[in-house]
């Protein structure tokens, strides 16, 4: 479905409204997969605009210092025998999830590079700026049965910014996270430590601590239908042996999953987990996901590479499978819905898009705290850039 059929609110005439009166909320957007089963929409091959790193203290650096290098065990050897429980919890420094970072790190990058964005002047004013993870949630929405989401949207200097809000349900689950799930999360990070080296050509060192504050993020440009996109996502590693060293095609996503023993387990894996892996890696153009399969004792003894572009093949003939066209068409429809709903240009005004499984996406309107998410430092710096009318010299 292209964006023409979905701009429901485009014909509304804009009426100047008093500052204290909030705009009327928009209609809702259905999420039923049957509504989005058209041909695959246009999606521009993502190109990397830049990158940034977050260090062990979660401080921002506008460089690639946190990038790691893919270093799998030799294929001719005995194969992996990774103990994913090693170092837990004594060598584990998890990020403080109470800190709501919103788009701040991406906005830091954008502020640094706003003068020299490819696409030229005026490109940013037409674009949608967000995290890759937020787009991933939109892609999987037509098939999601468990977790709802909320996305806050603000328009500022033409650009539409989308920032996820933790739902009350997600917050409750995070605060009550069972010890087993905490350990499973650790194990995913530990797998990365076994598979990545700090320098190209060197070997992984799994003896250090696992610090999930550290991150390398790629900043990408793309376009879905008529919507120009600028988004950023965390990248696990780059493959020095990749056929092309050009990012994002040199990047590798690392995942762990339970060992599977029956066709039913594999089918469920293809239907649910592979959908999320596909959405997450297709958006930034990461070509391969390397999975480590762990046994009940937390050891990985087998690896399998899933090329992103071949993941759909596993469900193509499954009547209860997922379809990439549905995912992308729904995402394009949501972006059109958001673009035509958020008309007022005001960084303190927020349209909150909410979705719970089984229902449509609904909208509510808010001003300032707690939903406003564009920081004052960003708004002020971007406002100072505007060509201001020439000042008349004051009389001496």
């Amino acid at each position: 479905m292209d964006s023409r059929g979905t701009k429901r609110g485009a014909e509304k005439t804009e009426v100047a409204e008093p500052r204290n009166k909030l705009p009327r909320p928009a209609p809702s957007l259905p999420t039923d997969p049957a509504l989005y089963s058209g041909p695959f929409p246009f999606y521009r091959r993502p190109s990397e605009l830049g990158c940034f790193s977050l260090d062990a203290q979660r401080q921002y650096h506008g460089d690639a210092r946190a990038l790691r290098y893919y270093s799998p065990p030799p294929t001719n050897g005995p194969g992996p025998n990774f103990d994913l429980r090693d170092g837990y919890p004594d060598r584990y420094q998890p990020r403080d999830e109470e800190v709501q970072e919103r788009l701040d790190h991406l906005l830091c990058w954008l502020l640094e590079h706003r003068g020299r964005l490819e696409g030229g002047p005026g490109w940013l004013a037409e674009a949608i700026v967000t995290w890759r993870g937020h787009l991933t949630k939109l892609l999987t929405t037509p098939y999601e049965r468990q977790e709802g989401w909320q996305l806050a949207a603000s328009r500022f200097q033409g650009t539409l910014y989308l920032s996820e809000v933790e739902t009350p349900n997600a917050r409750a689950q995070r605060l009550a996270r069972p010890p087993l799930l905490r350990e499973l999360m650790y194990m995913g990070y530990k797998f990365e430590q076994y598979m990545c080296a700090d320098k190209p050509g060197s070997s992984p060192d799994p003896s250090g601590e696992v610090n999930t504050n550290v991150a390398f993020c790629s900043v990408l440009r793309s376009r879905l239908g008529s919507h120009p996109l600028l988004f950023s996502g965390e990248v696990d590693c780059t493959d020095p042996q990749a056929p092309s060293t050009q990012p994002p095609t040199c990047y590798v996503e690392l995942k762990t999953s339970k060992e599977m023993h029956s066709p039913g387990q594999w089918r469920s894996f293809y239907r649910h987990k592979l959908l999320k892996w596909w959405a997450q890696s297709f958006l930034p153009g990461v070509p391969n996901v390397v999975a480590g399969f762990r046994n009940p004792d937390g050891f990985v003894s087998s690896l399998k590479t899933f090329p992103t572009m071949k993941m759909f093949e596993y469900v193509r003939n499954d009547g209860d499978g997922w379809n990439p066209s549905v995912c992308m068409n729904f995402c394009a429809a949501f972006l059109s819905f958001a673009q035509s709903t958020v008309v007022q240009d005001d960084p303190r005004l927020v349209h909150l898009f909410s979705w719970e499984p089984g229902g449509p996406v609904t909208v509510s309107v808010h001003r300032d705290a707690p939903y406003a998410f564009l920081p004052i430092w960003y708004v002020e710096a971007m406002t100072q850039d505007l060509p201001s009318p020439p000042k008349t010299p004051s009389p001496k």
Side-chain angles (χ1 to χ4, degrees), residues 16 64 75 104 109 121 127 130 158 170 188-189 203 228 236 243 268 288 325 373 394:
T75 41
D104 291 12
W109 183 91
T130 192
Y189 292 109
S203 297
D236 290 333
S268 173
N288 290 299
S325 298
F373 60 88
S394 52

Side-chain angles (χ1 to χ4, degrees), residues 167-232:
T167 64
N169 193 19
R171 175 175 163 81
Q173 285 194 12
R174 169 171 64 80
L175 294 176
R177 194 178 284 149
L180 190 65
L181 196 52
R182 291 174 203 231
E183 190 169 12
L184 273 180
M185 289 172 68
Y186 170 83
M187 289 160 75
Y189 292 109
K190 186 67 184 180
F191 177 62
E192 297 174 20
Q193 203 182 51
Y194 280 109
M195 296 286 289
C196 298
D198 287 338
K199 292 195 268 300
S202 66
S203 297
D205 173 17
S207 70
E209 75 163 5
V210 168
N211 185 326
T212 63
N213 287 295
V214 179
F216 169 79
C217 294
S218 170
V219 181
L220 299 127
R221 169 194 178 184
S222 184
R223 180 160 61 89
L224 173 54
S226 61
H227 305 292
L229 300 173
L230 188 156
F231 61 92
S232 176

